[in-house]
């Protein structure tokens, strides 16, 4: 039976720049549907005319098999009168409208493009800029919206006839692929020596040979330059450490594929999906055997950070050069990644022996993202390439509110409508280049979102540079306590805003009493918080220095709890005895000093007491050592909850006793970890008994610890609590900016 019908279909979500309209065109063709498709302010709007049944099948397929990079939020259909159309057509974007539509993150090379890249018969054989509607750069080439060729960094590469034909062919995978190009019309790659002089050679071959010789090559990637060297050549890796001025922090390593990664680290099943995903992040997992790569890759660390080639350039480099490459952000330690050729040549002078350069500009710095794959599900540690600029739907009005983030691991976030858009990892705001990057990301996000910020949420800390930057805008500012922001961001992820219990187990964050908080049990919602319990305050001897030198925290705990510190100093601190003596003297004096309730600082103290780590050359090194050493999760040590405090005197005394009795650090670590689980459970029970709250939110940098991340939720759930942990944001300070936006929105009221 022939029943002519009409429908409008509105598809919302990430539907722009992902090959959605060609996909719709193909479907319409297959089902014999006529009409049109266009981008609107809400998403993609389709008008479909034809047989009723055909339209229904067409609409069902839209949801069933969307293009790989699309993320459909909703499909809404409405019946309209039948119109007699000749064909199905793609209509151009409406400029103002398209601005509202989500821009996609950068996406790793797809399987089809990979096949073409490696096919000697293909016209893009070994062409390092191959891409299509299913893959390639997006955010990192975007200059403005809408996402169209004139608004991306390929604007100066006009399409050749062959590429234009693909671009205009509605049935082609490259139909309206804004990044479409080929060796004849697109960007070019070249290799340069350390002086910047272009080598007249096959660039991939030249770079591959330099790497095989143990040289350090700066490689222009998707969101910035990497410094690469052979990850199995210890001399090369040591040289890179020396030149980059990076002591022990592990380097990320790129290997050929998932199987190669599996040889090196214990990968959970989902790690394979992460490697194959468009985001293709660095995955951190426990080493299988410590000698898989050069020892200097991750010295004294139980984990490797691994990734697989995510651009065509990487695929070629790994195929033709060494099979495992250190790939670390090209910068001096703490500075942002370099992005343009001149900048790289200048800033990496004396670091890189050669440069693999190209003429496709990078519009904005985006580092590799990092996902932790130890225990439980994946946990984001650094949210950048492949994730940004995807937004987080909060269900609350956050329009025009920005969060400027914390001081370390900074991200900023901008709200539009009910969605918060966290920007990419900026890093530690302790140098001018990082502050410049902060400004770039802030301007870029506002431009591509079409938002002008009217209200800025900042950290409560009066001396952070972001506080000054916010004041300079002249806009209204709101100060948000660091851990309140951590927890409010987590609420936003789950869209659960009823008052709950918050465990903020963190390094340090400024408290309204001028002390450094970080072992906090709150009752809270986005508008306000109360502190139910906190780790007992201990002095922070030497301020920032105490954070870099865990032995200072060990002494702080010993002196504070009136325990005998002399055996510890004699056994463990012999080579810094005079410093230790002066720290003890300082701790015993009446000189006013800052105190901390930071959980990270307690981990530092125990890591040092057990002899595992006395000084940290990067943030979190001591807690990572302690976690890495854990062999057996034995009986918890003692602790007390009283007067809003979690007393740690017995805990530290018990640790000290075990150390002196010669108990192995792995056992002490296990008992210590179990103590933290036990005190978390006990604190939540007390709050539940007092206030009837049963939802617990877990945030803060300590939740990157696999033991805490799995055991605390497990114990809480078994005790009848409903537990919420991070899925979209990092539990560390990378998630703070989103929470700041939510708190500022809640206070607006
Ligand atoms: Zn592709
Ligand atoms: Zn071309
Ligand atoms: Fe924090």
């Amino acid at each position: 039976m022939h029943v002519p019908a009409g429908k409008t279909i509105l598809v919302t979500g990430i539907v722009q720049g992902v090959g959605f309209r060609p996909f719709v065109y193909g479907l319409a063709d297959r089902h014999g549907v006529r009409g049109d498709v266009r981008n609107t302010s809400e998403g993609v709007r389709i008008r479909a005319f034809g047989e009723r049944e055909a339209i229904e099948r067409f609409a069902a397929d839209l949801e069933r098999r969307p293009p790989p990079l699309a993320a459909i939020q909703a499909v809404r259909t409405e019946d309209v009168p039948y119109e007699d159309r000749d064909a199905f057509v793609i209509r151009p974007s409406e400029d103002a409208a398209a601005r509202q539509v989500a821009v996609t993150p950068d996406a790793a090379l797809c399987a089809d493009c990979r096949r073409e890249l490696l096919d000697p018969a293909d016209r893009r054989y070994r062409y390092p800029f191959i891409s299509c509607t299913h893959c390639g750069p997006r955010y990192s080439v975007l200059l403005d919206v809408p996402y169209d060729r004139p608004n991306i960094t390929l604007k100066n590469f006009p399409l050749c006839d062959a590429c234009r034909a693909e671009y205009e062919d509605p049935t082609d995978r490259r139909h309206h692929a804004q990044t479409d190009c080929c060796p004849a019309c697109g960007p070019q790659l070249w290799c340069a020596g350390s002086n910047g002089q272009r080598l007249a050679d096959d660039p991939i071959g030249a770079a591959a040979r330099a790497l095989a010789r143990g040289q350090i090559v700066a490689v222009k990637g998707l969101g910035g330059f990497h410094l690469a060297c052979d990850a199995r050549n210890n001399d090369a890796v040591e040289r890179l450490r020396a030149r980059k001025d990076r002591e022990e922090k592990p380097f990320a390593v790129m290997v050929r594929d998932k199987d190669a990664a599996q040889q090196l680290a214990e990968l959970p099943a989902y790690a394979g999906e992460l490697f194959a995903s468009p985001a293709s992040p660095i995955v951190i997992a426990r080493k299988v055997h410590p000698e898989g790569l050069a020892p200097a890759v991750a010295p004294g660390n139980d984990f490797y950070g691994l990734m697989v080639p995510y651009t065509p350039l990487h695929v070629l480099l790994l195929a033709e050069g060494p099979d495992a490459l250190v790939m670390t952000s090209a910068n001096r330690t703490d500075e942002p990644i370099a992005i343009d050729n001149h900048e790289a040549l200048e800033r990496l002078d004396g670091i890189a022996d050669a440069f693999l350069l190209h003429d496709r500009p990078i519009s904005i710095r985006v580092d590799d993202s990092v996902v932790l794959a130890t225990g439980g599900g994946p946990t984001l540690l650094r949210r950048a390439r492949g994730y940004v600029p995807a937004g987080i739907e909060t269900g609350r009005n956050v329009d025009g509110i920005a969060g400027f983030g914390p001081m370390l691991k900074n991200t900023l976030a901008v709200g539009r409508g009910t969605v918060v858009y966290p920007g990419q990892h900026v890093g530690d705001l302790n140098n001018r280049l990082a502050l410049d990057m902060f400004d770039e990301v802030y301007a870029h996000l506002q431009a591509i979102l079409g938002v002008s910020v009217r209200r800025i949420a900042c950290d409560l800390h009066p001396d952070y540079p972001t506080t000054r930057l916010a004041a300079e805008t002249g806009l209204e500012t709101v100060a948000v306590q660091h851990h309140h922001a951590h927890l409010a961001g987590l609420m936003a992820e789950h869209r659960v805003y009823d008052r709950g219990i918050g465990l903020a187990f963190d390094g340090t964050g400024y408290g309204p009493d001028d002390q450094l908080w970080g072992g906090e049990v709150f009752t809270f919602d986005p508008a306000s918080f109360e502190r139910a319990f906190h780790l007992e305050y201990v002095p922070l001897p030497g301020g920032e220095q105490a954070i870099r030198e865990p032995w200072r925290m060990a002494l702080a705990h010993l002196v504070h709890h009136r325990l005998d510190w002399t055996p510890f100093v004699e056994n463990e601190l012999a080579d810094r005895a005079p410093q230790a003596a002066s720290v003890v003297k300082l701790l015993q004096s009446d000189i006013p000093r800052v105190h901390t309730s930071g959980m990270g600082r307690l981990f530092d103290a125990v890591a040092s007491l057990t002899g595992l780590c006395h000084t940290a050359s990067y943030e979190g090194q001591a807690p990572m050592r302690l976690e890495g050493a854990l062999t057996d999760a034995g009986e918890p040590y003692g602790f007390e909850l009283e007067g809003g405090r979690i007393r740690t005197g017995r805990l530290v005394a018990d640790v000290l006793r075990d150390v002196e009795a010669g108990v192995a650090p792995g056992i002490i670590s296990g008992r210590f970890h179990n103590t933290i689980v036990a005190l978390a459970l006990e604190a939540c029970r007390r709050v539940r008994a007092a206030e009837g709250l049963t939802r617990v939110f877990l945030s803060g940098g300590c939740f990157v610890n696999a033991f805490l991340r799995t055991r605390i939720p497990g114990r809480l759930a078994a005790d009848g609590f409903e537990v919420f942990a991070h899925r979209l944001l990092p539990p560390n300070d990378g998630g703070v900016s989103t929470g700041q936006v939510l708190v500022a929105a809640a206070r607006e009221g």
Side-chain angles (χ1 to χ4, degrees):
M1 208 176 69
H2 295 279
V3 185
K7 256 190 208 312
T8 62
I9 304 171
L10 178 68
V11 188
T12 60
I14 294 182
V15 288
Q16 191 185 3
V18 293
F20 205 84
R21 285 172 302 165
F23 155 73
V24 173
Y25 180 93
L27 271 189
D29 193 49
R30 195 171 328 139
H31 291 289
V33 167
R34 299 173 300 283
D36 56 34
V37 55
R38 71 180 350 144
N39 286 334
T40 75
S41 60
E42 295 161 291
V44 166
R45 181 176 294 278
I46 302 159
R47 284 184 291 185
F49 304 103
E51 299 297 324
R52 176 168 296 282
E53 279 181 17
I55 293 176
E56 264 151 28
R57 281 196 303 273
F58 164 78
D61 270 3
L62 277 177
E63 279 194 88
R64 207 173 300 147
R65 286 191 279 273
L69 297 183
I72 294 178
Q73 224 163 51
V75 177
R76 287 201 293 274
T77 61
E78 199 181 311
D79 289 325
V80 292
Y82 176 77
E83 287 176 31
D84 194 15
R85 301 286 186 93
D86 301 335
F88 194 87
V89 294
I90 297 177
R91 301 214 180 272
S93 331
E94 295 160 20
D95 269 21
R99 192 173 282 269
Q100 292 290 323
V101 177
V103 176
T104 47
D106 297 311
L109 186 70
C110 74
D112 288 335
C113 286
R114 176 189 296 262
R115 194 173 29 72
E116 292 167 357
L117 175 72
L118 301 173
D119 175 3
D122 194 273
R123 70 190 186 91
R124 292 188 183 85
Y125 176 55
R126 289 182 88 236
Y127 181 59
F129 306 99
I130 188 169
S131 70
C132 72
T133 50
H134 302 159
C135 76
R138 298 287 187 276
Y139 182 63
S140 65
V141 294
L142 189 69
L143 298 166
D144 198 1
V145 284
Y147 176 73
D148 274 329
R149 188 80 162 205
N151 287 334
I152 65 175
T153 63
L154 280 109
K155 63 182 177 181
N156 296 326
F157 298 96
L159 297 169
C160 68
D161 291 344
C163 288
R164 171 140 321 266
E166 293 168 335
Y167 185 90
E168 288 174 354
D169 177 358
T171 64
D172 196 280
R173 198 172 91 247
R174 294 195 172 86
H175 181 54
H176 285 188
Q178 303 305 336
T179 55
D180 192 15
C181 60
C182 75
C185 67
Q188 300 299 317
L189 185 74
W190 69 93
C191 193
S194 57
N195 55 3
Q197 203 161 20
R198 204 183 257 237
L199 306 176
D201 193 0
D202 163 32
I204 299 277
R209 282 192 302 278
L211 290 164
R213 282 198 303 272
Q215 295 199 321
I216 294 163
V217 180
V219 179
K220 187 175 185 179
L222 207 53
F225 276 79
H226 281 122
L227 286 164
C229 75
D230 183 351
R232 300 192 200 272
N233 179 336
N234 204 55
D235 289 344
V237 181
E238 298 267 19
R239 209 157 36 241
L240 177 56
R241 283 204 180 274
R243 291 189 193 170
K244 217 179 118 115
D245 193 17
R246 176 149 144 168
E247 292 168 53
E248 291 185 323
K249 191 175 180 189
F251 283 134
V253 171
M254 186 179 276
V255 292
R256 281 183 185 158
D257 51 31
K258 182 188 80 176
D259 293 343
Q262 216 127 32
Q263 304 289 312
L264 296 167
E266 282 172 32
L267 296 176
Y270 63 75
E273 287 164 38
L274 285 169
F275 285 137
S277 72
S280 195
I282 296 170
V283 174
I284 297 187
R286 204 172 263 269
K287 292 175 179 174
V288 169
H289 56 89
E291 300 309 313
L293 298 168
V297 165
N301 193 294
D302 300 281
F303 307 92
Y304 276 139
L306 302 170
M307 58 181 148
V308 297
Y310 56 81
T311 69
L313 177 57
H314 297 144
V315 170
L316 297 172
L317 205 54
L318 269 284
E320 300 178 25
D323 70 346
L325 292 176
V326 164
M327 283 286 218
T328 184
S329 302
N331 51 15
R332 289 181 202 270
T333 293
D334 290 348
E335 289 183 351
I337 193 166
I339 55 171
D340 82 42
N341 294 348
H342 293 294
E343 182 193 14
L345 287 166
E346 195 178 297
R347 278 175 59 197
L348 304 176
D349 181 37
I351 299 183
D353 299 308
F355 292 82
L356 199 50
L357 302 170
H358 61 71
D359 54 3
R360 183 183 75 199
I362 295 169
S363 63
I364 186 89
R365 283 163 229 277
V366 198
D367 282 275
D368 291 317
S369 293
V370 182
V371 175
L372 192 60
T374 56
T379 300
L380 263 173
L381 289 192
R382 188 205 280 162
R383 191 178 179 279
R385 176 185 54 77
Y387 294 93
V388 178
I392 295 173
E393 172 59 61
T394 70
R396 295 209 152 182
N397 178 19
V398 291
D399 201 51
I401 303 177
F404 270 13
M407 174 76 181
L408 302 178
K409 293 193 174 68
N410 177 276
T411 64
L412 61 93
V414 173
R416 183 180 72 183
T418 56
V419 179
V420 175
Y421 294 87
Q424 63 268 43
H425 168 83
V426 172
D428 299 352
L429 298 179
N430 56 9
N431 61 82
R432 186 188 54 81
L433 291 171
L435 290 169
D436 289 349
M437 179 176 172
F438 180 95
D439 287 339
E440 287 165 18
V441 174
Y442 185 45
H444 192 62
L445 271 185
Q446 288 185 85
I448 67 168
L449 296 172
V451 166
S452 59
V453 168
R454 58 187 171 79
R455 199 162 205 248
I456 299 171
C458 284
D459 196 275
L460 198 58
H461 200 300
D463 302 328
Y464 279 1
T466 42
T467 310
R468 177 180 51 77
L469 290 174
E472 282 171 4
T473 63
L475 300 172
E476 188 190 356
T477 64
V478 186
V480 179
Q481 200 279 325
H482 183 87
H483 303 103
H484 189 206
H486 265 294
L487 292 163
L490 177 54
M491 279 193 157
E493 269 186 52
H494 292 276
R495 276 176 262 169
V496 171
Y497 296 108
D498 294 337
R499 205 161 178 86
I501 304 169
L503 299 187
F505 289 177
D506 202 29
T508 50
Y510 191 82
D513 59 356
D514 294 337
Q515 308 301 328
L516 293 173
W517 293 14
E520 313 302 314
V521 182
F522 284 176
T523 62
F524 79 108
D525 59 27
S528 71
F529 71 89
E530 270 170 65
R531 212 177 179 198
F533 292 99
H534 65 88
L535 275 185
E536 177 172 1
Y537 280 134
V538 293
L540 193 68
E544 287 292 304
Q545 216 173 351
I547 296 173
R548 287 191 298 271
E549 299 181 352
W551 65 266
R552 289 171 181 264
M553 287 317 303
L555 283 178
H557 280 85
L558 294 178
V559 173
H560 173 77
H561 292 304
R562 299 173 195 286
L563 295 163
D564 182 7
W565 63 87
T566 48
F568 171 66
V569 172
E570 280 164 21
N571 295 333
E572 293 289 343
L573 306 181
D575 53 344
R576 49 172 75 82
Q579 287 165 278
S582 71
V583 166
V584 168
K585 216 163 154 191
L586 176 78
L587 286 163
Q588 290 174 322
S589 73
D590 298 327
I591 299 167
R593 62 182 83 83
V594 168
H595 286 72
T596 180
S597 57
M599 182 63 82
R601 302 291 78 80
L602 181 59
F603 270 77
D604 285 351
V606 175
S608 175
L609 285 172
T610 50
L612 287 166
C613 184
H614 298 309
T615 60
S617 82
Y618 53 93
E619 207 214 336
Q621 187 178 18
M624 270 179 100
R625 284 265 171 96
L626 195 58
E627 180 189 353
L630 192 157
T631 48
D632 177 41
E635 276 296 292
Y637 293 124
F639 65 90
E640 284 97 30
L641 268 60
E642 64 175 43
R645 278 184 210 95
I646 303 167
R647 296 276 186 197
T648 52
R650 271 179 56 204
L651 162 59
V652 177
D654 286 352
V655 169
L656 191 64
R657 199 190 50 237
D658 269 1
V659 169
E660 285 167 7
V663 175
I667 307 278
I668 299 176
S669 170
R671 295 192 65 184
F672 170 72
H673 275 84
N674 251 345
T675 315
I676 305 306
V677 175
L679 65 82
L681 177 65
E682 183 55 26
C684 290
R685 281 179 172 163
R686 298 265 187 113
V687 177
R688 179 173 60 189
E691 309 202 22
L693 301 175
T694 57
R695 286 181 169 148
V696 184
F697 296 81
L698 309 177
S699 191
C702 295
F703 285 103
V704 308
N705 179 301
F707 191 88
L708 302 188
R709 211 169 68 236
T710 49
R711 297 294 177 104
I712 290 180
R715 290 290 290 280
L716 287 170
D719 206 63
F721 289 98
E722 192 183 354
V723 186
F724 298 88
H726 287 284
R727 294 179 310 202
L728 305 175
L729 289 169
N732 62 34
D733 283 3
V736 163
S737 54
T738 296
Q740 291 176 334
V741 171
L742 267 289
V743 172
R747 292 210 187 131
E748 203 164 39

